[in-house]
């Protein structure tokens, strides 16, 4: 990547402000950390936790250092306009749907979207049309929607105001049809909104997968804190569209983001942008080679299966006969913490290293081997891996009732095995990864109940309004 500017406007501005040894008669009330009883390391960070003071700019109406930093962000990612998000990718997903849909509008959504997409649709009052993803036997995950299914949805619901895609998936799987899908949507004058939460690093070098932005997506939201060196909640939002006005996106961001944004998070985003902007092709080659060597070392551990995916920073670990949750427990006993576990495997997220960075891969391999040895001494689970059949959903579905209609209908709790054909009233979300299994207004099918039962048996954790401990879920009466 050609580096246009190596400045860090927000970090430099905050550092200049700190060196002035200013007296605080403004918020926040910790007064540069002086009143805090937190450990000293926290108090040191609090010296940068300031507010919209002279020369420190305003995230909602930027004119100085924040505007300069956001312009550098847009240059780095090739966007027309980019924004810093201090409310996570969630606030970006909310804003892009508010900017494209109104109450009653139709929106076409990839069914394995993050829960924040469904929350946005509920808040706006839009009418979702779900397109189911295809199953990947190698990663044992639901992945992307096919061009054929998306085209059929668009042809059947040509009034749609937007299409929402997830790229890559939480498990690091990308789609080789996304460019074709975006082109077709644009032929129909439908904007494409992409939740690229796990792809903020894609633009760092050409050895990685391309960003959806490079394929022509209108709006792309990225969690800088997931794969870049940014703090939790710190995210990016990019607009590159002839169909959506960036000012309209900004309008909703002003409404949805805090009026007192964290300057510590903004500095973290400035640094993450700088990290991508200065990332070299040789850096990408370095982490890919390091990963290759480590994967070879891991594969020498007996009984451990290692699966690589499209994203070079993602890795799947499995042990035959044991659930991902059992493997996760064994790894955590050795103080190795993965990103998530599911019924089949554990997902690891590798660091986006640059040349010169080190990571204790050899020591981690020793710990993983010890975890596998311990795991093999425990009882195997009495179940097969989650099969494709459990995820075989109808390609295109329309909820029977909208979110707002459900609110006024009478409901009842039933044992979940008695709810086949009934209408779900709540989200039931295996977490992580945060992709709803059941969505309000959807008909409950045998496939979904089979998946629910397998996840429960394997020890999955669920969010949402449910009584799964009693094997009960709520449906329309």
């Amino acid at each position: 990547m050609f580096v246009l500017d190596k400045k860090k406007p927000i970090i430099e501005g905050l550092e200049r402000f700190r060196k002035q040894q200013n007296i605080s008669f403004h918020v926040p009330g910790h007064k540069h950390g002086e009143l805090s009883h937190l450990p000293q390391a926290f108090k040191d960070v609090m010296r940068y936790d300031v507010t919209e003071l002279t020369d420190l700019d305003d995230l909602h109406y930027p004119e100085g250092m924040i505007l300069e930093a956001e312009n550098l962000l847009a240059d780095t990612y090739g966007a027309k306009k980019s924004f810093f998000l201090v409310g996570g990718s969630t606030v970006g997903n909310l804003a892009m749907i508010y900017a494209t849909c109104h109450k009653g509008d139709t929106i076409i959504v990839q069914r394995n979207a993050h829960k924040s997409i469904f929350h946005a649709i509920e808040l706006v009052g839009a009418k979702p049309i779900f397109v189911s993803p295809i199953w990947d036997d190698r990663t044992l995950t639901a992945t992307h929607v096919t061009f054929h299914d998306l085209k059929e949805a668009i042809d059947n619901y040509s009034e749609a105001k937007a299409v929402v895609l997830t790229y890559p998936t939480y498990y690091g799987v990308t789609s080789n049809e996304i460019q074709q899908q975006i082109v077709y949507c644009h032929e129909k004058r439908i904007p494409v909104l992409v939740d690229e939460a796990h792809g903020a690093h894609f633009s760092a070098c050409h050895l990685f997968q391309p960003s959806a932005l490079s394929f022509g997506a209108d709006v792309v939201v990225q969690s800088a804190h997931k794969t870049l060196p940014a703090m939790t909640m710190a995210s990016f939002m990019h607009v590159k569209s002839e169909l959506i006005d960036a000012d309209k996106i900004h309008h909703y961001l002003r409404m949805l983001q805090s009026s007192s944004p964290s300057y510590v998070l903004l500095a973290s985003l400035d640094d993450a942008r700088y990290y991508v902007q200065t990332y070299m092709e040789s850096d990408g080659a370095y982490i890919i080679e390091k990963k290759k060597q480590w994967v070879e070392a891991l594969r020498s551990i007996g009984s451990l299966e290692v699966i690589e995916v499209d994203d070079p920073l993602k890795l799947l670990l499995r042990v035959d006969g044991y659930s991902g949750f059992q493997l996760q427990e064994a790894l955590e006993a050795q103080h190795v913490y993965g990103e998530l576990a599911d019924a089949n495997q554990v997902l690891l997220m590798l660091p986006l290293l640059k040349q010169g960075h080190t990571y204790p891969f050899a020591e981690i391999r020793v710990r993983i081997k010890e975890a596998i040895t311990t795991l093999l001494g425990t009882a195997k689970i009495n179940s097969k891996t989650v099969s494709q059949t459990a995820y075989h959903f109808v390609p295109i579905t329309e909820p029977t009732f909208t979110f707002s209609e459900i609110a006024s209908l009478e409901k009842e709790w039933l044992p979940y095995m008695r709810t086949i054909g009934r209408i779900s009233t709540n989200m039931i979300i295996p977490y992580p990864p945060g992709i709803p299994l059941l969505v309000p207004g959807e008909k409950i099918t045998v496939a979904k109940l089979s998946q629910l039962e397998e996840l429960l048996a394997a020890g999955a954790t669920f969010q949402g309004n449910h009584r799964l401990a009693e094997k009960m879920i709520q449906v329309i009466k």
Side-chain angles (χ1 to χ4, degrees):
M1 178 178 296
F2 178 72
V3 179
L4 298 175
D5 197 325
K6 292 187 177 181
K7 294 177 65 178
K8 300 180 186 177
I10 296 175
I11 295 170
E12 293 163 7
L14 289 174
E15 186 64 6
R16 283 194 301 271
F17 185 82
R18 183 192 65 80
K19 287 180 179 178
Q20 294 172 0
Q21 298 185 341
N22 302 290
I23 305 300
S24 172
F25 285 103
H26 55 77
V27 299
H30 58 67
K31 304 302 177 186
H32 302 320
E34 292 298 322
L35 304 187
S36 172
H37 289 279
L38 287 168
Q40 187 59 47
F42 285 86
K43 294 174 70 173
D44 290 342
V45 174
M46 285 178 161
R47 297 162 70 186
Y48 297 92
D49 183 31
V50 290
T51 189
E52 294 89 348
L53 304 172
T54 304
D55 296 328
L56 293 186
D57 210 358
D58 182 342
L59 176 64
H60 296 294
Y61 297 92
E63 297 177 325
M65 67 181 192
I66 296 176
L67 178 61
E68 184 181 0
E70 288 188 331
N71 287 341
L72 286 171
L73 178 64
D75 289 341
T76 300
Y77 281 87
K80 286 186 176 180
K81 179 66 179 174
S82 294
F83 301 97
F84 287 151
L85 307 179
V86 294
S89 287
T90 291
V91 76
N93 288 340
L94 291 170
M96 69 184 184
I97 291 177
Y98 266 104
T100 52
C101 295
H102 296 94
K103 185 175 182 179
D105 284 346
T106 298
I107 183 170
I108 297 172
V109 184
Q110 182 171 327
R111 179 58 183 78
N112 57 331
H114 188 261
K115 61 180 180 177
S116 58
I117 296 292
F118 296 94
H119 290 155
I121 293 169
E122 181 177 0
L123 289 169
V124 171
K127 173 187 170 184
I129 303 300
F130 298 130
V131 184
S132 295
I134 59 175
W135 178 259
D136 179 30
D137 283 320
R138 199 173 67 85
T139 62
L140 298 177
T141 63
T143 58
H144 60 279
V145 299
T146 67
F147 173 75
H148 174 272
D149 290 343
L150 182 62
K151 180 179 183 297
E152 183 179 345
I154 292 170
D155 293 344
N156 291 341
Y157 299 92
S158 58
E159 74 279 10
K161 299 299 184 182
V163 166
V164 182
L165 300 176
T166 301
Y167 172 96
T169 68
Y170 206 129
Y171 290 83
V173 180
T174 59
S175 166
N176 58 9
E177 296 183 287
I178 187 169
Q179 185 169 20
Q180 184 183 13
Q181 292 169 339
I182 292 171
V183 168
Y184 189 75
C185 289
H186 286 173
E187 288 175 359
K188 301 297 182 179
R189 304 294 293 170
I190 301 174
V192 179
L193 317 177
V194 179
D195 180 351
E196 197 172 276
H198 286 263
H201 61 296
F202 280 2
S203 297
C205 96
H206 291 98
L207 296 174
F208 301 157
Q209 294 291 313
S211 166
L213 203 64
S214 69
F215 292 135
D218 296 88
V219 184
V220 171
V221 178
Q222 301 168 330
S223 294
H225 65 94
K226 283 184 165 61
T227 56
L228 302 182
M231 296 177 69
T232 299
M233 291 177 64
S235 296
F236 297 147
M237 187 173 197
H238 310 289
V239 184
K240 189 179 181 181
S241 176
E242 301 298 329
L243 302 175
I244 301 173
D245 186 353
D247 289 339
K248 193 171 185 180
I249 295 278
H250 199 187
H251 168 73
Y252 284 104
L253 286 177
R254 291 185 184 118
M255 297 172 66
L256 295 165
Q257 296 210 92
S258 170
S259 59
S260 301
S262 164
Y263 273 80
V264 176
L265 289 183
L266 291 175
S268 175
L269 283 166
D270 196 21
D271 183 61
R273 184 273 312 159
Y274 177 85
Y275 196 87
V276 171
Q277 189 184 36
T278 57
Y279 201 87
M280 309 297 290
E281 296 298 309
S282 54
D283 295 322
Y286 174 76
I287 180 57
I288 288 173
E289 179 60 27
K290 284 288 185 184
K291 177 191 174 184
K292 178 183 176 182
Q293 295 171 5
W294 193 52
V295 167
E296 289 176 356
L298 290 178
R299 284 178 172 154
S300 69
I301 300 175
S303 301
L304 178 64
E305 183 181 4
V306 183
I307 299 90
E308 297 182 78
V309 295
D310 300 325
D311 183 354
L313 299 189
K314 299 286 179 73
L315 207 62
L316 300 174
L317 303 183
R318 295 185 200 136
V319 177
D320 185 44
Y322 295 88
S323 74
F325 303 109
Q326 289 176 297
L327 177 56
Q328 179 185 49
E329 184 178 356
L331 289 171
E332 291 182 357
Q334 297 297 322
H335 308 292
V336 176
Y337 286 80
E339 170 64 14
L340 65 83
D342 63 26
N344 303 310
Q345 57 211 348
V346 168
L347 171 65
L348 304 184
M349 293 180 63
L350 278 64
L352 183 65
L353 302 180
K354 288 186 176 183
Q355 292 183 89
H357 286 167
T358 60
Y359 212 70
F361 288 116
E363 168 62 23
I364 298 167
R365 181 196 175 278
V366 171
R367 296 190 186 194
I368 292 176
K369 183 176 181 180
E370 183 62 31
I372 301 301
T373 301
T374 303
L375 180 64
L376 294 175
T378 63
K380 293 185 177 183
I381 57 172
N382 185 25
S383 67
K384 61 183 184 303
T385 56
V386 175
S387 64
Q388 181 177 0
T389 304
Y391 285 85
H392 184 66
F393 297 149
V394 177
I396 301 169
T397 58
E398 180 178 351
T400 306
F401 297 102
T402 65
F403 291 110
S404 58
E405 288 172 337
I406 290 170
S408 62
L409 295 172
E410 195 172 354
K411 307 166 185 67
E412 63 179 339
W413 291 93
L414 289 177
Y416 64 76
M417 293 309 294
R418 287 174 47 199
T419 62
I420 296 171
R422 302 292 293 272
I423 306 301
S424 173
T425 61
N426 297 310
M427 280 194 199
I428 295 183
I429 311 163
Y431 196 88
I435 297 164
L437 174 60
L438 296 180
V439 173
E442 280 189 318
K443 184 175 289 187
I444 299 170
T445 64
V446 173
K448 290 177 183 177
L449 288 180
S450 297
Q451 186 181 348
L452 175 63
E453 194 161 41
E454 287 176 341
L455 288 167
L456 285 169
T461 300
F462 291 85
Q463 292 183 344
N465 182 17
H466 61 76
R467 287 162 52 185
L468 291 176
E470 306 168 51
K471 298 188 175 182
M472 305 276 281
I473 58 177
Q474 192 182 63
V475 296
I476 291 174
K477 191 169 183 179

